[in-house]
Amino acid sequence: LSHTLYYSYDNGTTISQIGSAYRTDRQISWTIPNDFYATIPNAKSGTVKVYVDTFDEGKELVGDRTSTTLTAYAVESNCKPVLNPSVYDSNSTTTALTGNNKKLIKGKSDASYAVNASARNYATIRSIEVRNGSSVLSTATGVFKATKSNDFSFYVTDSRGYTTTAALLPDMIPYLN
């Protein structure tokens, strides 16, 4: 006997072949293709249906096609958003004083940020939150005017509900009159 395996993400509307095995003592190894993620951009799991056709030595179908339904998961470590934030002083006056836009002057610098986030495996970015002291913004880029805190926290959540966080603590120089 030989067996041919197939799979579908849509309960049989589109069926693709996995492979064939001859004799019952053979195994077929298979990893669900990455395009599976496209079927679950807003969910952490979805269904995959696996079908088996059994053939005799004359290559005639034996019995009916059998199937089983599996639940496949979008593993968080492979799917959560990538986050690479940056913060810099966008106030030309304070930057001229420090000579470095990576240093902030307390209460005078305008701290501009870029979240630099990207969703993975067909998800989309659903929400962004950037905290600086008690101020909160929810845009991919922005400015905290005359910032008094050098503590920046970034939170990005994708359409599956996976969240990635990051923190930055740039140097801050006290302002003296």
Side-chain angles (χ1 to χ4, degrees):
L1 295 176
S2 67
H3 307 283
T4 301
L5 278 71
Y6 307 89
Y7 70 95
S8 76
Y9 307 140
D10 52 13
N11 207 25
T13 303
T14 305
I15 296 176
S16 300
Q17 186 171 341
I18 295 172
S20 295
Y22 301 98
R23 296 180 305 198
T24 57
D25 60 345
R26 291 257 172 132
Q27 294 181 352
I28 295 177
S29 295
W30 176 66
T31 301
I32 297 171
N34 279 341
D35 66 352
F36 168 71
Y37 292 118
T39 68
I40 57 165
N42 302 314
K44 293 180 180 179
S45 67
T47 58
V48 177
K49 197 164 189 176
V50 177
Y51 308 87
V52 178
D53 286 343
T54 301
F55 299 94
D56 63 20
E57 297 302 324
K59 301 192 187 225
E60 293 292 323
L61 185 64
V62 176
D64 294 327
R65 173 176 281 173
T66 58
S67 66
T68 189
T69 302
L70 311 170
T71 300
Y73 294 89
V75 178
E76 184 173 6
S77 60
N78 295 335
C79 294
K80 70 181 183 175
V82 175
L83 177 58
N84 186 23
S86 64
V87 173
Y88 65 94
D89 189 349
S90 58
N91 179 329
S92 60
T93 303
T94 52
T95 301
L97 290 172
T98 63
N100 183 345
N101 72 352
K102 298 296 181 192
K103 292 184 179 189
L104 305 174
I105 297 178
K106 187 172 186 173
K108 299 297 178 182
S109 291
D110 294 335
S112 289
Y113 69 86
V115 173
N116 299 318
S118 57
R120 294 168 59 194
N121 291 319
Y122 298 92
T124 57
I125 299 297
R126 185 176 68 202
S127 68
I128 294 171
E129 183 177 289
V130 182
R131 295 179 176 270
N132 173 242
S134 62
S135 299
V136 179
L137 296 174
S138 59
T139 55
T141 59
V143 180
F144 292 99
K145 295 277 192 184
T147 185
K148 293 181 180 175
S149 173
N150 67 332
D151 186 5
F152 296 86
S153 299
F154 300 84
Y155 306 87
V156 176
T157 303
D158 72 8
S159 55
R160 288 189 181 101
Y162 291 133
T163 299
T164 300
T165 63
L168 292 177
L169 198 64
D171 289 339
M172 181 170 269
I173 302 165
Y175 179 73
L176 303 174
N177 284 334

